[in-house]
Amino acid sequence: MSKLPVKAMILAAGRGNRLRPLTDTLPKPLVPLCGKPLIEYHIEKLVAAGVSDIIINHAWLGQQIEQTLGNGERWGVTIHYSPEPEGGLETAGGIINALPLLGSEPFVVINGDVFTEFDFGELIEQACSFSENQLAHLVLVPSPLFNAKGDFGLNSAGLVESQGQYTFAGLSLLHPDLFKGMNVDFIKLAPLLREAMLKQQVSGALYSGLWSDIGTLQRLQETEQLLCP
C-alpha cells in the first residue's frame, strides 16, 4: 500500500505541431491559457493535492521550461527534470527514462496539454488503496467529437476495458511495475495499458466535469472562451 507523499510526473516533451505557430518558439506546456502557462495549472493542482515532488520531462525547447519553472520553490515543491533527445521518447519511453526519479511506488502522471477541473487529490487517494496486482488507474471522460470512437471502456466492477466509448483524459496513476524489465526507447503507453487491461490490472473512473485537450489552436481558443470570456 502506498503512503503519502506521492510523486507526480507531468508529460511535457511533445512538439505541439498542431499548435503552431505558437509552438515554433514556445514549448507546448508554456502556451498561455488565460495568460498563464498551461503547465502551471497542473503544478498548482498537484500542490493543492499534497504532492511535493514533481518530475517534468521535456524535449522541444526544454530549457525554456526549466528557466520558466525553476526548481519549484515558488510553489513550495521540488521540480526535477528528465530531458529527452530531440523528438522525445513517446509517452511510455519518457516515463521509463524518468523511473529513477519516480521511485518504487505508484505515481501520478498528467498530460501537459490538457486542462481540467478534476481534483488531483482523488488520484492521491487511489494511490493509497492500490491493490497488490494493480498496475494502473485511469481517469476517463465522455468522448469529445474529435475522438468520437473512444479509447477505452469501463465495466461495472470499475475495471478499464481495452475498447469502448470513453476517452482517456491524460490523467492516471501508474505503478512502476507496468514498465518492469523495459529499457529506455521510443515506446507508446497505450499498448502497455491494453495488455494490463486483459489481465484486469487497470481500474478507472469516469469524470464528467470540465476537461479539455489543448491540442489545437481551435481547442485552445474554445477553452479560453469557457474560462476567461
Side-chain angles (χ1 to χ4, degrees), residues 143-155:
S143 288
L145 291 176
F146 65 83
N147 190 43
K149 65 183 179 67
D151 299 320
F152 303 122
L154 186 66
N155 68 23

Side-chain angles (χ1 to χ4, degrees), residues 71-104:
N71 62 7
E73 183 178 8
R74 64 181 155 122
W75 294 281
V77 299
T78 301
I79 294 179
H80 311 267
Y81 295 98
S82 180
E84 297 179 15
E86 185 176 354
L89 293 168
E90 287 287 1
T91 304
I95 294 170
I96 294 167
N97 189 52
L99 283 178
L101 297 168
L102 290 165
S104 59

Side-chain angles (χ1 to χ4, degrees), residues 34-50:
C34 300
K36 180 192 297 186
L38 183 58
I39 197 170
E40 292 192 15
Y41 291 96
H42 296 331
I43 294 171
E44 291 169 355
K45 289 173 65 62
L46 288 168
V47 171

